[in-house]
Amino acid sequence: MDFLRPTTWAQALAAKADRPGALPVQGGTDVMVEINFDVRRPEALLDLNQVAELREWGMTDGICRIGAGVTYATVVDELGGVLPGLAQAARTVGSPQIRNRGTVAGNLGAASPAGDSHPPLLAAGAVVEVESRERGTRLIPAAEFYLGVKRNALEPDELIRAVRVEPAQGPQYFSKVGTRNAMVIAVCSFAVALHPGERRVGTGIGSAAPTPRRALEAEALLARELDWHAPLDPALLARFGELCARAAAPIDDVRGTAAYRVHAVGVMARRTLTWAWNDHLARRAA
Ligand SMILES: Cc1cc2nc3c(=O)[nH]c(=O)nc-3n(C[C@H](O)[C@H](O)[C@H](O)COP(=O)(O)OP(=O)(O)OC[C@H]3O[C@@H](n4cnc5c(N)ncnc54)[C@H](O)[C@@H]3O)c2cc1C
């Protein structure tokens, strides 16, 4: 197996264009497990760890741009104020070792329906910045990036450069059900992001459908009926939970049954919206 080691982004794009079968590796926390277990045997590995600019994040035109090499540990340490939902999700990923190596871009590359980054990225309206040598930059909304179980919208010659997310304008929450508190793949998960300026609430469901997905009918309900100056109406909250549960399309597997997942998505939806709404009202009162 060849091991390609570009030191610049241009070299990385050239390597992927010349060898579309080369498998990118960033933290390696998915890739190395798959190779160890012989799940795949790529013709070449394209190690992106020497491309320094991938490890940076920054603000560009009011948008937070997270380089593909930014680890979960950095998200937890540095982005909690800017992207609280993503930082909460990052805190639940694996163990310190995994958070020190693993990246949000790697989560997107793997495109597992259970990946913890996906619900907060969907709720916040994130956009995935991908690039190829031949066609330049392409911006893909997170909601269009997930195509199927472990399938994403990347073309064979494309790499993920960064994830672009608007800094939180309102409270954001992430919730994950697992069989224990740490080192656990989500049985299911849920994220909510309040966008007070747009009078909109974003949602993201994880591990309860072939792909991460938004609860669109639930979002539309709140856009129509939520009174942004009042306490949360219990009937509206219940309806929101029902519509989020209905948006799930899970399967029975070793981690949980479909019926349990549907139930849990509804519970997490009500809980996270309640937490976010309490913060929203507290901020207004302050
Ligand atoms: C013990 C353990 C615990 C884990 N716990 C969790 C957990 O709690 N929650 C969770 O969501 N995940 C978990 N994972 C899975 C894994 O850590 C995450 O999916 C992580 O985000 C992968 O990031 P990485 O940088 O290590 O990706 P890599 O393993 O390097 O790559 C993953 C995929 O993304 C592709 N890729 C990477 N970078 C790019 C790029 N720039 N452009 C295009 N494609 C790219 C790779 O080719 C590969 O297909 C766990 C894994 C282990 C081993």
Side-chain angles (χ1 to χ4, degrees):
M1 188 188 304
D2 292 336
F3 192 67
L4 312 175
R5 221 165 190 214
T7 54
T8 66
W9 181 239
Q11 285 174 8
L13 291 177
K16 192 70 174 120
D18 293 340
R19 300 280 298 270
L23 184 68
V25 54
Q26 188 67 62
T29 61
D30 279 317
V31 167
M32 294 317 296
V33 174
E34 289 186 354
I35 289 176
N36 280 344
F37 282 96
D38 226 3
V39 175
R40 57 167 132 188
R41 185 77 22 200
E43 60 172 70
L45 282 177
L46 176 55
D47 177 18
L48 299 172
N49 281 277
Q50 302 302 308
V51 183
E53 64 257 49
L54 294 182
R55 289 196 296 275
E56 294 168 4
W57 71 269
M59 301 297 294
T60 310
D61 298 330
I63 300 293
C64 182
R65 185 166 178 264
I66 306 168
V70 171
T71 62
Y72 291 112
T74 299
V75 172
V76 169
D77 291 345
E78 300 177 17
L79 288 171
V82 185
L83 301 170
L86 185 63
Q88 285 169 26
R91 273 182 216 116
T92 77
V93 171
S95 59
Q97 295 89 336
I98 298 297
R99 292 193 290 274
N100 280 333
R101 293 290 315 173
T103 60
V104 174
N107 222 209
L108 286 160
S112 160
D116 289 320
S117 310
H118 311 314
L121 292 180
L122 286 168
V127 170
V128 187
E129 178 185 331
V130 309
E131 194 171 336
S132 67
R133 181 180 65 186
E134 310 304 332
R135 297 178 308 286
T137 298
R138 197 159 69 98
L139 299 178
I140 310 173
E144 295 166 24
F145 188 78
Y146 314 108
L147 298 185
V149 177
K150 300 193 175 180
R151 283 198 306 115
N152 62 38
L154 279 176
E155 296 293 340
D157 64 344
E158 283 178 326
L159 292 171
I160 300 170
R161 172 63 185 85
V163 183
R164 300 185 187 191
V165 202
E166 189 188 355
Q169 302 300 317
Q172 300 182 343
Y173 277 97
F174 172 78
S175 178
K176 170 175 170 179
V177 173
T179 47
R180 58 185 184 182
N181 274 341
M183 283 290 282
V184 67
I185 303 174
V187 173
C188 53
S189 60
F190 190 85
V192 79
L194 267 52
H195 303 272
E198 302 161 43
R199 294 286 191 263
R200 190 172 70 75
V201 175
T203 60
I205 298 174
S207 207
T211 64
R213 56 169 62 172
R214 290 165 59 190
L216 292 172
E217 284 186 34
E219 291 185 17
L221 171 81
L222 295 185
R224 274 195 318 271
E225 299 190 16
L226 196 54
D227 178 351
W228 286 76
H229 304 285
L232 206 47
D233 172 12
L236 183 63
L237 181 64
R239 188 90 184 104
F240 175 71
E242 284 165 19
L243 289 177
C244 288
R246 202 192 289 170
I251 54 168
D252 293 330
D253 68 10
V254 287
R255 298 200 302 280
T257 64
Y260 174 73
R261 286 181 159 112
V262 168
H263 170 75
V265 165
V267 172
M268 287 189 292
R270 292 199 305 273
R271 274 189 198 154
T272 52
L273 183 61
T274 302
W275 296 332
W277 201 254
N278 289 343
D279 288 2
H280 167 68
L281 292 183
R283 284 183 200 183
R284 282 176 53 85

PDB file of all heavy atoms in Angstrom, residues 190-204:
ATOM      1  N   PHE A 190     -29.709  13.908  19.285  1.00  0.00           N
ATOM      2  CA  PHE A 190     -30.554  15.006  18.804  1.00  0.00           C
ATOM      3  C   PHE A 190     -29.880  16.330  19.129  1.00  0.00           C
ATOM      4  O   PHE A 190     -29.254  16.479  20.172  1.00  0.00           O
ATOM      5  CB  PHE A 190     -31.930  14.952  19.483  1.00  0.00           C
ATOM      6  CG  PHE A 190     -32.926  15.882  18.867  1.00  0.00           C
ATOM      7  CD1 PHE A 190     -33.659  15.488  17.755  1.00  0.00           C
ATOM      8  CD2 PHE A 190     -33.116  17.161  19.364  1.00  0.00           C
ATOM      9  CE1 PHE A 190     -34.564  16.353  17.152  1.00  0.00           C
ATOM     10  CE2 PHE A 190     -34.019  18.036  18.767  1.00  0.00           C
ATOM     11  CZ  PHE A 190     -34.748  17.623  17.667  1.00  0.00           C
ATOM     12  N   ALA A 191     -30.022  17.287  18.209  1.00  0.00           N
ATOM     13  CA  ALA A 191     -29.485  18.630  18.453  1.00  0.00           C
ATOM     14  C   ALA A 191     -30.518  19.671  18.072  1.00  0.00           C
ATOM     15  O   ALA A 191     -31.313  19.476  17.139  1.00  0.00           O
ATOM     16  CB  ALA A 191     -28.215  18.858  17.642  1.00  0.00           C
ATOM     17  N   VAL A 192     -30.482  20.761  18.824  1.00  0.00           N
ATOM     18  CA  VAL A 192     -31.380  21.874  18.523  1.00  0.00           C
ATOM     19  C   VAL A 192     -30.558  23.160  18.532  1.00  0.00           C
ATOM     20  O   VAL A 192     -29.585  23.278  19.277  1.00  0.00           O
ATOM     21  CB  VAL A 192     -32.535  21.894  19.564  1.00  0.00           C
ATOM     22  CG1 VAL A 192     -32.102  22.502  20.882  1.00  0.00           C
ATOM     23  CG2 VAL A 192     -33.760  22.584  19.044  1.00  0.00           C
ATOM     24  N   ALA A 193     -30.885  24.087  17.650  1.00  0.00           N
ATOM     25  CA  ALA A 193     -30.212  25.394  17.618  1.00  0.00           C
ATOM     26  C   ALA A 193     -31.262  26.467  17.400  1.00  0.00           C
ATOM     27  O   ALA A 193     -32.025  26.406  16.428  1.00  0.00           O
ATOM     28  CB  ALA A 193     -29.177  25.437  16.494  1.00  0.00           C
ATOM     29  N   LEU A 194     -31.314  27.427  18.320  1.00  0.00           N
ATOM     30  CA  LEU A 194     -32.252  28.545  18.162  1.00  0.00           C
ATOM     31  C   LEU A 194     -31.596  29.634  17.319  1.00  0.00           C
ATOM     32  O   LEU A 194     -30.432  29.992  17.564  1.00  0.00           O
ATOM     33  CB  LEU A 194     -32.625  29.106  19.541  1.00  0.00           C
ATOM     34  CG  LEU A 194     -33.874  28.539  20.214  1.00  0.00           C
ATOM     35  CD1 LEU A 194     -33.854  27.027  20.265  1.00  0.00           C
ATOM     36  CD2 LEU A 194     -34.064  29.121  21.608  1.00  0.00           C
ATOM     37  N   HIS A 195     -32.341  30.126  16.352  1.00  0.00           N
ATOM     38  CA  HIS A 195     -31.878  31.234  15.510  1.00  0.00           C
ATOM     39  C   HIS A 195     -32.861  32.390  15.722  1.00  0.00           C
ATOM     40  O   HIS A 195     -33.757  32.612  14.885  1.00  0.00           O
ATOM     41  CB  HIS A 195     -31.857  30.809  14.036  1.00  0.00           C
ATOM     42  CG  HIS A 195     -31.021  29.595  13.762  1.00  0.00           C
ATOM     43  ND1 HIS A 195     -29.672  29.666  13.483  1.00  0.00           N
ATOM     44  CD2 HIS A 195     -31.325  28.276  13.728  1.00  0.00           C
ATOM     45  CE1 HIS A 195     -29.188  28.446  13.294  1.00  0.00           C
ATOM     46  NE2 HIS A 195     -30.176  27.586  13.434  1.00  0.00           N
ATOM     47  N   PRO A 196     -32.719  33.129  16.826  1.00  0.00           N
ATOM     48  CA  PRO A 196     -33.739  34.129  17.182  1.00  0.00           C
ATOM     49  C   PRO A 196     -33.915  35.214  16.119  1.00  0.00           C
ATOM     50  O   PRO A 196     -35.033  35.670  15.890  1.00  0.00           O
ATOM     51  CB  PRO A 196     -33.237  34.737  18.494  1.00  0.00           C
ATOM     52  CG  PRO A 196     -32.140  33.852  18.970  1.00  0.00           C
ATOM     53  CD  PRO A 196     -31.631  33.083  17.805  1.00  0.00           C
ATOM     54  N   GLY A 197     -32.791  35.583  15.473  1.00  0.00           N
ATOM     55  CA  GLY A 197     -32.877  36.628  14.454  1.00  0.00           C
ATOM     56  C   GLY A 197     -33.809  36.252  13.318  1.00  0.00           C
ATOM     57  O   GLY A 197     -34.505  37.096  12.745  1.00  0.00           O
ATOM     58  N   GLU A 198     -33.831  34.958  12.986  1.00  0.00           N
ATOM     59  CA  GLU A 198     -34.683  34.479  11.884  1.00  0.00           C
ATOM     60  C   GLU A 198     -35.985  33.881  12.404  1.00  0.00           C
ATOM     61  O   GLU A 198     -36.768  33.352  11.612  1.00  0.00           O
ATOM     62  CB  GLU A 198     -33.938  33.393  11.087  1.00  0.00           C
ATOM     63  CG  GLU A 198     -32.614  33.837  10.518  1.00  0.00           C
ATOM     64  CD  GLU A 198     -31.734  32.636  10.162  1.00  0.00           C
ATOM     65  OE1 GLU A 198     -32.242  31.656   9.590  1.00  0.00           O
ATOM     66  OE2 GLU A 198     -30.543  32.678  10.486  1.00  0.00           O
ATOM     67  N   ARG A 199     -36.168  33.933  13.728  1.00  0.00           N
ATOM     68  CA  ARG A 199     -37.353  33.295  14.332  1.00  0.00           C
ATOM     69  C   ARG A 199     -37.466  31.841  13.860  1.00  0.00           C
ATOM     70  O   ARG A 199     -38.509  31.395  13.371  1.00  0.00           O
ATOM     71  CB  ARG A 199     -38.636  34.067  13.977  1.00  0.00           C
ATOM     72  CG  ARG A 199     -38.683  35.449  14.591  1.00  0.00           C
ATOM     73  CD  ARG A 199     -38.977  35.310  16.078  1.00  0.00           C
ATOM     74  NE  ARG A 199     -39.285  36.560  16.734  1.00  0.00           N
ATOM     75  CZ  ARG A 199     -38.394  37.290  17.421  1.00  0.00           C
ATOM     76  NH1 ARG A 199     -37.136  36.919  17.504  1.00  0.00           N
ATOM     77  NH2 ARG A 199     -38.781  38.391  18.031  1.00  0.00           N
ATOM     78  N   ARG A 200     -36.362  31.103  13.971  1.00  0.00           N
ATOM     79  CA  ARG A 200     -36.291  29.754  13.428  1.00  0.00           C
ATOM     80  C   ARG A 200     -35.572  28.855  14.426  1.00  0.00           C
ATOM     81  O   ARG A 200     -34.675  29.296  15.138  1.00  0.00           O
ATOM     82  CB  ARG A 200     -35.514  29.812  12.104  1.00  0.00           C
ATOM     83  CG  ARG A 200     -35.538  28.578  11.273  1.00  0.00           C
ATOM     84  CD  ARG A 200     -34.888  28.868   9.912  1.00  0.00           C
ATOM     85  NE  ARG A 200     -33.458  29.076   9.984  1.00  0.00           N
ATOM     86  CZ  ARG A 200     -32.562  28.090  10.163  1.00  0.00           C
ATOM     87  NH1 ARG A 200     -32.976  26.849  10.284  1.00  0.00           N
ATOM     88  NH2 ARG A 200     -31.278  28.360  10.220  1.00  0.00           N
ATOM     89  N   VAL A 201     -35.975  27.599  14.450  1.00  0.00           N
ATOM     90  CA  VAL A 201     -35.294  26.602  15.275  1.00  0.00           C
ATOM     91  C   VAL A 201     -34.790  25.497  14.349  1.00  0.00           C
ATOM     92  O   VAL A 201     -35.564  24.924  13.577  1.00  0.00           O
ATOM     93  CB  VAL A 201     -36.256  26.011  16.335  1.00  0.00           C
ATOM     94  CG1 VAL A 201     -35.565  24.885  17.106  1.00  0.00           C
ATOM     95  CG2 VAL A 201     -36.723  27.096  17.298  1.00  0.00           C
ATOM     96  N   GLY A 202     -33.479  25.214  14.413  1.00  0.00           N
ATOM     97  CA  GLY A 202     -32.895  24.143  13.606  1.00  0.00           C
ATOM     98  C   GLY A 202     -32.820  22.858  14.416  1.00  0.00           C
ATOM     99  O   GLY A 202     -32.649  22.888  15.644  1.00  0.00           O
ATOM    100  N   THR A 203     -32.933  21.742  13.719  1.00  0.00           N
ATOM    101  CA  THR A 203     -32.877  20.436  14.391  1.00  0.00           C
ATOM    102  C   THR A 203     -31.901  19.508  13.667  1.00  0.00           C
ATOM    103  O   THR A 203     -31.623  19.689  12.475  1.00  0.00           O
ATOM    104  CB  THR A 203     -34.258  19.751  14.388  1.00  0.00           C
ATOM    105  OG1 THR A 203     -34.668  19.560  13.025  1.00  0.00           O
ATOM    106  CG2 THR A 203     -35.305  20.552  15.135  1.00  0.00           C
ATOM    107  N   GLY A 204     -31.441  18.495  14.372  1.00  0.00           N
ATOM    108  CA  GLY A 204     -30.639  17.437  13.758  1.00  0.00           C
ATOM    109  C   GLY A 204     -30.866  16.141  14.514  1.00  0.00           C
ATOM    110  O   GLY A 204     -30.816  16.126  15.744  1.00  0.00           O
TER     111      GLY A 204
END
